[in-house]
Structure formats: C-alpha cells, structure tokens
Amino acid sequence: RKEVEQDPGPFNVPEGATVAFNCTYSNSASQSFFWYRQDCRKEPKLLMSVYSSGNEDGRFTAQLNRASQYISLLIRDSKLSDSATYLCVVNIRDMGRRALTFGSGTRLQVQP
Amino acid sequence: DTAVSQTPKYLVTQMGNDKSIKCEQNLGHDTMYWYKQDSKKFLKIMFSYNNKELIINETVPNRFSPKSPDKAHLNLHINSLELGDSAVYFCASSQVLRNIGEETQYFGPGTRLLVL
C-alpha cells in the first residue's frame, strides 16, 4: 500500500466549476500535511498547508481528518490557470527523521 | 534571484557514464534534499542533508552519492549511469519553523536526465 494515495485523474472540469480532490495516508506518525501544485515540466510549489481545523485560502479550502487519515482540497470557481497536478504531501517525523512523502498527484484540466 | 538553482537543466548521456548535478540555495536553509520524479510523475525522496550531515538515505543504489561542501550546496554524483536512471531530479531546501515545527520545502527547477 502506498504511503500517500490519490486519485490520479485527470479531472476535466469547465471554468467556474467546483472540484474536490481526496487523499489518504497510511502512516499515523504523519504530523503535518500540505497540498503542492506542479505545473507541466515545472517544480512542485507549496499551495497550502492543511490544519486539523480546516483552512481556506481564497478559492481553496483544505480539510484534514486525522481519525480517518484523510485530506481533501476543494477548489471553487475554477480558473484556466488552475490546470496543474495537485500533490498531496505528508511530513512524517519518525525517529528524528523528517521527510516529505508525496502522493502521485491528481491532474486537473480546467476547460473554457 | 533564484532561491534554489540546479545545473544543468538538461542532461543527455550514454549508459555507463558518470555525471554530476549541482544544487545551490540562497535561502539560508539548514536542510537540503534530492528527489527523483520518474516517468509516472511519482516524486520520491533520495537523500536529505542537515547542516552538511546526511540524515536521510533512502533505498538508493550506491552509484548515487550526494556531497554537501557547505549548507548552501548539495550535489549529486551518479556513477555508471543506467537506462532506469532517466528521470527528473529535483533539489529542495527547507527550514524548520521552531515555533510551530513546520517547514516548507522549496524546490529547484529540476534536472531532466536522459540516459541512452
């Protein structure tokens, strides 16, 4: 079982749509959680951290359910520029080791 | 004014050759990483250095050897290149925010390695 699992997509949605991505993680030692965005042939960039209470940044809302080991990202009012791959990322701190573990990403294509 | 830079951006080479990829960060971060992203776009950590000390060494063939001359640089040397080494290699750096124990990793632009 992969440590971080995501639906690979692609999700093809029209502009203005609301789209949700889900992610599950297997290691209960995971301590912090993130969504990164990766554009085609570019490096991953932090989109937002994910907090237990849920957090919002403009059109983006992230939720974390530690009991179910589940993370979500909601994008409202999709823009063409939102087309990218969204990577679910957990930070596992185990025996003093810190490392980001990435999901394989969910591809989003927003269409005009 | 790039925060994390890598050279070269593209590397095409023959099987069996030895090559190096360089990484530099000007963010003053303590920790640097090498990741490999394969053809299926799966990003996997290879190594991590904190203040020039190796702290993570995942299951990577010993043909791969990282070297950190100082905390702003982490280079990756690959011996006897194989076809399966073809991938995009990303360098990253981070700094733990001690008050909340959180860190953001900043990635370099990647080095696209193709082994023929």
Side-chain angles (χ1 to χ4, degrees), chain B residues 21-25 32-34 47-49 66-76 91-92:
Chain B
I21 308 172
K22 294 186 177 183
C23 177
E24 177 180 359
Q25 54 96 3
M32 295 185 72
Y33 310 81
W34 277 109
F47 301 103
S48 171
Y49 269 72
K67 280 200 170 48
S68 182
D70 55 61
K71 74 174 197 177
H73 295 83
L74 180 61
N75 304 323
L76 183 65
C91 176

Side-chain angles (χ1 to χ4, degrees), chain B residues 85-102:
Chain B
D85 297 334
S86 296
V88 183
Y89 292 84
F90 286 102
C91 176
S93 74
S94 71
Q95 183 76 32
V96 175
L97 302 176
R98 300 212 179 275
N99 55 339
I100 55 175
E102 195 174 290

Side-chain angles (χ1 to χ4, degrees), chain A:
Chain A
R1 186 183 168 190
K2 289 182 191 164
E3 289 196 74
V4 180
E5 295 217 49
Q6 295 181 249
D7 181 343
F11 283 56
N12 294 303
V13 302
E15 266 187 293
T18 295
V19 61
F21 304 139
N22 302 322
C23 166
T24 56
Y25 61 94
S26 61
N27 192 328
S28 58
S30 302
Q31 295 192 350
S32 43
F33 309 88
F34 310 90
W35 283 100
Y36 275 68
R37 170 191 169 131
Q38 187 173 22
D39 292 288
C40 188
R41 300 181 68 77
K42 297 285 189 181
E43 71 272 24
K45 289 185 181 172
L46 179 68
L47 178 67
M48 59 196 301
S49 300
V50 187
Y51 302 115
S52 297
S53 52
N55 50 298
E56 194 172 301
D57 183 1
R59 298 180 293 107
F60 298 83
T61 301
Q63 299 273 0
L64 167 65
N65 184 323
R66 283 187 188 268
S68 305
Q69 297 184 188
Y70 171 92
I71 304 160
S72 66
L73 177 68
L74 184 78
I75 306 175
R76 289 183 300 278
D77 188 24
S78 302
K79 312 285 185 200
L80 293 176
S81 57
D82 293 336
S83 298
T85 296
Y86 290 83
L87 302 165
C88 176
V89 186
V90 306
N91 192 350
I92 299 168
R93 288 183 206 141
D94 192 6
M95 310 275 289
R97 169 189 176 278
R98 280 194 328 268
L100 292 188
T101 300
F102 285 76
S104 54
T106 299
R107 199 154 74 81
L108 172 65
Q109 185 66 48
V110 181
Q111 291 161 342

Side-chain angles (χ1 to χ4, degrees), chain B residues 23-84:
Chain B
C23 177
E24 177 180 359
Q25 54 96 3
N26 62 8
L27 297 165
H29 288 168
D30 287 336
T31 307
M32 295 185 72
Y33 310 81
W34 277 109
Y35 288 87
K36 178 180 179 180
Q37 189 169 43
D38 60 25
S39 56
K40 293 181 181 167
K41 307 298 182 191
F42 191 52
L43 197 66
K44 192 167 170 56
I45 185 140
M46 300 173 71
F47 301 103
S48 171
Y49 269 72
N50 181 267
N51 277 318
K52 303 196 298 171
E53 185 182 336
L54 179 68
I55 56 170
I56 294 175
N57 184 351
E58 293 297 301
T59 309
V60 174
N62 57 16
R63 298 182 294 104
F64 290 79
S65 51
K67 280 200 170 48
S68 182
D70 55 61
K71 74 174 197 177
H73 295 83
L74 180 61
N75 304 323
L76 183 65
H77 188 77
I78 316 170
N79 286 328
S80 303
L81 278 154
E82 300 179 356
L83 294 177

